Amino acid sequence: MPHDHHDHHDHHDDHTHGEDHPHAHLPPDPALRVRALETILTRKGLIDPAALDAIIDTYQNRIGPKNGALVVARAWADPEFHAALMRDATAVVADMGFFGRQGEHITAVANTPQTHNMVVCTLCSCYPWPLLGIPPGWYKSDAYRARAVREPRKVLADFGVTLPGDKAVRVWDSTAEMRYLVVPERPEGTEGWSVEALAGLVTRDSMIGTGLPRQPG
Amino acid sequence: MTRPHDMGGRFGDGAVIPEPETPVFHEDWHARALAVTLAAGALGQWNLDTSRHARERLSPRDYARFSYYEKWMAGLADLLVEKGVLSREDLAGGGDDAPHPLAARALKAHAVAGVLAKGGPSDRPSAIPPRFVPGCAVRTLRPAANRLVDGGHTRLPAYAAGARGVILSCHGAHVLPDANAHGLGEAPEPLYTVVFPASELWAAPEHPGDEVTLDLWQSYLEPA
């Protein structure tokens, strides 16, 4: 079996640790490190700063949890849409204009009185970007990645959520390119609400499964 | 055997700290790091699996001490040198500014929306027939390790190695990260969602009804 020859076994002391790695040639301060890399790549014509601005604008201002909230609200309001979403979420949300990077294969999982769904990526930070945008810091944190699969109820307690004892938790570890959207239970007292009004109750965390929707009123 | 990114089930990390939905980026350099990474990826010198593996094989100490986007930057810098796009001298600030042979492939602002919208689907045709259907009992391989490259990239977490579960759904064939991360081709094979009782994975599960699902390739599984 070939060995992973890029592996580095470091025998230096703390001060020089990691100098085998090319990245150690960059400035240590993170902000300066990014700027240095951007500058080098720009000077060589390998990246275009205007393209970077366009990428940032996309995820800062255009794509975010409002997209997912609209999907959930429609699912609440329209049983046929809900059924189609559960059958083939990728196609259904693409019809609403939500598709692309980190949303190539989407599965919707619906909470029920019996089951609460919660999504994690223990190995990195996989997340349905076209529906929820860039993941929050806690989703990418060691604590969430380590604990969500083993003690989801204690993690939910960190978010102030307590589930009834007769409700099971199913945690989805996103280990492939399938991306998961939790469809929370529709809050009571919202009969007859418009899709737009319902969407206002859907929080980002409720679509990851670490939160519940806002209650009306 | 394991690498530091494979942390599912680990003890000792403390509380998860919730945060509001905005700001999306807590520091300007976080946004730049994300954008530089995506733009450099568009040069086409590596794939998603390669870039994940570049972060995973940071030294355990670097992995632990770097914040999220620092890992991205370090993995990117390492890849740029390994793939011959930049030299160590370039990173140290001593390189020249001559036009780069790959400059024609640089992502331009007008192309950003199209590239992000296109994404990179991982489903592929495959000659490998599915071995399992929903409801089949399966067991994951143990240890959780790349069978093609020792110490290589794999998407079977250690906490789920040797565990018995049930096929929940089949997703057709998808690119196999264990091969694709190492220049061994896409090697697509059937991909499944497999559901495991929490009691199969943990010594002290929180609740008898709780479950964990993972998305696993056929070669990670055997009949149980």
Side-chain angles (χ1 to χ4, degrees):
Chain A
M1 175 183 286
H3 195 75
D4 186 347
H5 61 278
H6 298 308
D7 214 343
H8 299 279
H9 300 283
D10 189 272
H11 300 291
H12 302 299
D13 62 26
D14 282 0
H15 183 67
T16 57
H17 178 87
E19 291 201 349
D20 285 341
H21 288 70
H23 67 75
H25 292 274
L26 289 167
D29 176 82
L32 296 181
R33 182 170 276 216
V34 177
R35 190 181 304 164
L37 205 47
E38 181 180 339
T39 303
I40 296 160
L41 290 166
T42 303
R43 278 193 195 141
K44 289 179 177 288
L46 293 170
I47 59 175
D48 171 9
L52 303 188
D53 293 339
I55 293 169
I56 293 168
D57 177 57
T58 301
Y59 292 112
Q60 194 154 257
N61 304 315
R62 297 172 193 278
I63 296 182
K66 284 198 173 108
N67 293 359
L70 207 51
V71 174
V72 169
R74 271 189 74 178
W76 284 347
D78 178 351
E80 278 183 35
F81 179 88
H82 185 282
L85 181 70
M86 300 313 290
R87 264 198 315 274
D88 186 354
T90 310
V92 165
V93 304
D95 280 348
M96 294 174 70
F98 309 143
F99 52 83
R101 191 181 179 95
Q102 286 300 305
E104 294 89 347
H105 309 283
I106 292 176
T107 298
V109 293
N111 289 347
T112 68
Q114 292 77 38
T115 306
H116 179 86
N117 295 283
M118 191 168 144
V119 182
V120 64
C121 172
T122 63
L123 296 174
C124 47
S125 52
C126 296
Y127 192 76
W129 289 14
L131 296 176
L132 301 185
I134 298 299
W138 59 259
Y139 185 86
K140 303 178 281 201
S141 71
D142 286 6
Y144 187 71
R145 289 167 55 191
R147 294 176 54 211
V149 281
R150 183 174 50 76
E151 48 181 19
R153 290 162 195 270
K154 289 198 181 71
V155 170
L156 286 170
D158 288 346
F159 287 84
V161 174
T162 308
L163 298 178
D166 58 352
K167 187 175 279 211
V169 177
R170 179 178 271 183
V171 181
W172 301 75
D173 190 355
S174 313
T175 47
E177 300 309 318
M178 317 307 296
R179 297 289 170 266
Y180 292 95
L181 175 75
V182 175
V183 179
E185 290 178 273
R186 178 174 177 165
E188 290 179 12
T190 58
E191 293 72 19
W193 282 35
S194 69
V195 167
E196 290 70 27
L198 288 169
L201 301 178
V202 183
T203 64
R204 174 195 65 200
D205 292 359
S206 74
M207 293 183 280
I208 307 172
T210 55
L212 301 175
R214 295 185 188 94
Q215 294 302 309
Chain B
M1 182 65 62
T2 60
R3 290 189 186 269
H5 70 285
D6 188 2
M7 62 181 71
R10 186 172 75 184
F11 286 82
D13 283 285
V16 178
I17 313 294
E19 64 185 49
E21 297 187 10
T22 54
V24 174
F25 299 107
H26 291 277
E27 305 281 348
D28 286 344
W29 70 265
H30 292 178
R32 294 315 274 185
L34 175 96
V36 169
T37 302
L38 297 195
L43 294 168
Q45 303 303 294
W46 54 78
N47 59 52
L48 183 62
D49 298 305
T50 322
S51 59
R52 283 198 186 119
H53 188 51
R55 292 167 207 150
E56 293 165 8
R57 60 193 161 77
L58 293 172
S59 73
R61 190 169 309 204
D62 279 351
Y63 196 94
R65 73 190 174 99
F66 285 167
S67 63
Y68 181 77
Y69 285 113
E70 286 180 273
K71 293 188 198 41
W72 277 40
M73 282 298 92
L76 174 60
D78 292 349
L79 267 185
L80 285 164
V81 172
E82 282 172 20
K83 300 297 180 188
V85 178
L86 296 181
S87 66
R88 285 168 186 259
E89 191 186 9
D90 287 327
L91 291 187
D96 62 56
D97 292 347
H100 195 284
L102 291 173
R105 306 183 69 158
L107 177 65
K108 298 297 178 196
H110 66 81
V112 165
V115 166
L116 296 179
K118 186 163 172 259
S122 62
D123 54 334
R124 299 284 186 277
S126 170
I128 300 176
R131 271 183 96 182
F132 309 112
V133 296
C136 281
V138 293
R139 187 176 294 281
T140 56
L141 298 186
R142 187 168 67 91
N146 187 316
R147 261 60 182 180
L148 307 169
V149 177
D150 198 21
H153 181 63
T154 190
R155 298 292 287 183
L156 174 59
Y159 78 83
R164 190 177 188 280
V166 173
I167 301 283
L168 196 62
S169 55
C170 310
H171 303 294
H174 283 249
V175 173
L176 179 68
D178 305 52
N180 198 41
H182 299 282
L184 301 175
E186 293 190 328
E189 58 173 69
L191 176 74
Y192 305 92
T193 299
V194 186
V195 60
F196 301 87
S199 58
E200 178 71 12
L201 306 172
W202 317 114
E206 282 185 317
H207 188 283
D210 289 354
E211 298 171 320
V212 178
T213 78
L214 294 94
D215 296 327
L216 301 172
W217 280 262
Q218 183 156 288
S219 61
Y220 296 1
L221 303 170
E222 52 195 26

